[in-house]
Amino acid sequence: MSKSHKGLNTICTHTGEIKDEQFQGAVSPIYLSSSYAFMDVDVKRYPRYFNTPNQEGLSKKIAALEKTEAGMIFGSGMAAVSTALLAFLRSGDHVVLQETLYGGTYNLVVEEFEKYGITYSFTEDLSEAAFAKAITPQTKVIYIETPSNPLMKVTDMKMVATLAKKHGIVTMIDNTFASPVNQNPADFGIDIILHSATKYMGGHSDICAGAIAASQEHMDRIWNLAKNLGGSLSDLTVWMLERSMKTMALRVKAQNRNAKKIAKWLDKKDEISRVYYPGLKSHPDYKLAKEQMSGFGGMMSFELVSHIDAEDFQKALQLIKPSMSLAGVESTMLCPAQTSHSLLGEEERAKQGIADGLIRFSVGIEEKADLMEDIDQALKAVLKKTVLVAD
């Protein structure tokens, strides 16, 4: 192709693929060696240096999808998050984090940063004034997540990037919930883009991985620490992830369509007290989401009316799986208070608006009519049980 900027599905399918010179196979070969030649070579390769053939190829695909100069693949999303943050923070530095974050990131900050002499502040809300207020002369990083887990709050990326550049601060974003299909933070000036590649990049609930996309300058700094921390990914998993990402745009767009339809449907149901989905016009951040997202994603949360028990409801589901993770081709639900945000503690969850009965819904690629039918039958089963118990 002569076109310099290839289309999304073309990038997913072809960018970073390794040509099989020996047998002309249609897919990238797997290089499982943990030991490579060091004499008369341009690159000294070693798995922990993030530069095996499969690691390099997949990193190019990630960079192309996020429109950055460089990419890196890690053993988990938290390996990517912790390495990126620690690469730009040292003793005496300060980091500003938005008020609502993934529970693992929150736990990393509040449990570990004090040991390194790193101070931190969480914003009071997602306004420009709140971010500006939290900045100190020692602030080196602003860290955001949008849409946020699990309440789907949307942060103004351009506002954060502009504010940070004014103060010479590096910006980082967890882009997992949106995926590169729905949102490219680099377009809005964000410096470092992070993913739990376990989620939409993997997409089949069988891979654990993390990813970073950034400029080459920022990536060099991250790599200098990453090679010492050792959070690399096995080449077999790298190959599986590269294979999975070939269909990422197709999967995510199907999940977008399902989620938008189901969110509107749930929003009208008497058994549901509230739905959190940025694609709903009733969502407080709908206008902003529309401005910075090309699709609203496959993630939502909702609260049942008070007399319906969230755990009983999930046990009554027959098609949708009550399951810990998200973004697979299969639809899953969970209670964040019991899983992703259990480490926050009851007081902090209440502060963030995460009710014990909140259900996070990762919408898959099944037929939306089948998903709706499953939700309906589960609601009826729980209501019937509630009536029997009352009698």
Side-chain angles (χ1 to χ4, degrees):
M1 287 181 70
S2 58
K3 201 167 68 167
S4 58
H5 298 291
K6 295 180 175 61
L8 182 60
N9 281 309
T10 305
I11 293 171
C12 285
T13 306
H14 291 293
T15 299
E17 65 184 350
I18 302 169
K19 190 173 181 181
D20 182 355
E21 300 283 1
Q22 186 173 3
F23 299 110
Q24 307 302 311
V27 300
S28 298
I30 311 175
Y31 293 90
L32 293 175
S33 181
S34 61
S35 184
Y36 289 84
F38 67 93
M39 293 187 292
D40 302 320
V41 294
D42 294 329
V43 179
K44 293 182 174 62
R45 301 186 185 276
Y46 187 58
R48 186 168 57 81
Y49 294 164
F50 300 83
N51 65 358
T52 63
N54 292 102
Q55 289 172 339
E56 273 193 354
L58 182 55
S59 294
K60 289 175 183 176
K61 190 188 298 288
I62 290 163
L65 285 165
E66 283 292 14
K67 304 179 183 179
T68 60
E69 294 175 340
M72 277 182 72
I73 190 75
F74 288 78
S76 70
M78 283 309 301
V81 169
S82 58
T83 304
L85 282 168
L86 292 174
F88 287 85
L89 295 167
R90 61 189 65 188
S91 181
D93 288 345
H94 175 260
V95 55
V96 172
L97 307 108
Q98 74 173 53
E99 56 160 354
T100 50
L101 286 177
Y102 167 60
T105 305
Y106 174 90
N107 202 50
L108 165 72
V109 172
V110 300
E111 287 207 359
E112 305 297 335
F113 276 19
E114 188 178 343
K115 301 173 187 176
Y116 297 95
I118 299 167
T119 58
Y120 56 87
S121 299
F122 291 95
T123 62
E124 294 174 359
D125 53 49
L126 300 181
S127 67
E128 182 175 1
F131 279 98
K133 181 181 176 182
I135 292 172
T136 75
Q138 289 74 42
T139 303
K140 297 295 187 291
V141 172
I142 295 178
Y143 185 101
I144 63 173
E145 176 184 312
T146 183
S148 69
N149 181 3
L151 294 178
M152 310 305 297
K153 293 184 178 182
V154 180
T155 309
D156 187 334
M157 293 185 283
K158 188 174 181 180
M159 173 274 289
V160 170
T162 302
L163 180 65
K165 283 177 172 54
K166 186 173 153 185
H167 293 273
I169 297 169
V170 171
T171 49
M172 299 184 186
I173 185 173
D174 183 339
N175 199 33
T176 299
F177 266 30
S179 88
V181 178
N182 291 324
Q183 181 171 277
N184 292 123
D187 287 343
F188 299 88
I190 300 297
D191 297 312
I192 296 166
I193 304 154
L194 307 161
H195 288 272
S196 170
T198 309
K199 311 305 191 299
Y200 286 108
M201 289 182 176
H204 294 79
S205 304
D206 57 5
I207 287 169
C208 183
I212 300 180
S215 67
Q216 190 61 59
E217 181 183 357
H218 285 134
M219 197 63 77
D220 287 344
R221 184 162 173 173
I222 292 166
W223 179 81
N224 278 331
L225 176 63
K227 72 182 190 297
N228 295 328
L229 295 182
S232 59
L233 189 63
S234 79
D235 283 296
L236 178 59
T237 309
V238 170
W239 184 89
M240 290 175 67
L241 183 54
E242 194 259 342
R243 172 217 57 189
S244 295
M245 287 178 68
K246 291 182 179 184
T247 61
M248 181 172 65
L250 297 174
R251 289 186 279 104
V252 170
K253 287 181 180 180
Q255 288 164 307
N256 288 349
R257 291 192 296 271
N258 273 354
K260 191 172 182 180
K261 293 281 188 183
I262 294 172
K264 290 180 178 179
W265 175 74
L266 286 172
D267 202 35
K268 294 175 182 176
K269 292 189 73 64
D270 293 337
E271 301 92 339
I272 310 298
S273 63
R274 190 167 183 182
V275 179
Y276 302 88
Y277 185 67
L280 290 176
K281 290 183 180 178
S282 58
H283 191 287
D285 303 324
Y286 171 74
K287 185 179 177 183
L288 176 60
K290 197 173 180 182
E291 288 173 359
Q292 59 187 35
M293 300 180 77
S294 56
F296 295 113
M299 296 300 304
M300 72 180 77
S301 295
F302 61 90
E303 294 177 17
L304 298 163
V305 293
S306 59
H307 61 277
I308 300 178
D309 184 81
E311 192 169 317
D312 287 345
F313 165 73
Q314 289 174 93
K315 286 179 179 177
L317 294 167
Q318 296 175 359
L319 179 64
I320 300 166
K321 294 176 169 63
S323 189
M324 283 281 286
S325 197
L326 60 98
V329 291
E330 67 288 329
S331 294
T332 61
M333 289 186 184
L334 59 72
C335 284
Q338 297 176 9
T339 53
S340 61
H341 289 69
S342 60
L343 297 173
L344 265 61
E346 190 174 346
E347 186 178 338
E348 183 57 35
R349 285 197 302 272
K351 183 180 173 184
Q352 291 194 19
I354 302 169
D356 288 345
L358 180 73
I359 294 173
R360 191 185 72 192
F361 185 11
S362 172
V363 182
I365 64 169
E366 304 95 338
E367 298 301 325
K368 60 181 178 293
D370 294 330
L371 296 172
M372 292 175 184
E373 183 183 359
D374 191 34
I375 292 169
D376 257 341
Q377 70 78 27
L379 288 170
K380 288 173 184 174
V382 177
L383 286 169
K384 184 178 178 181
K385 178 182 174 182
T386 303
V387 171
L388 289 172
V389 170
D391 290 345

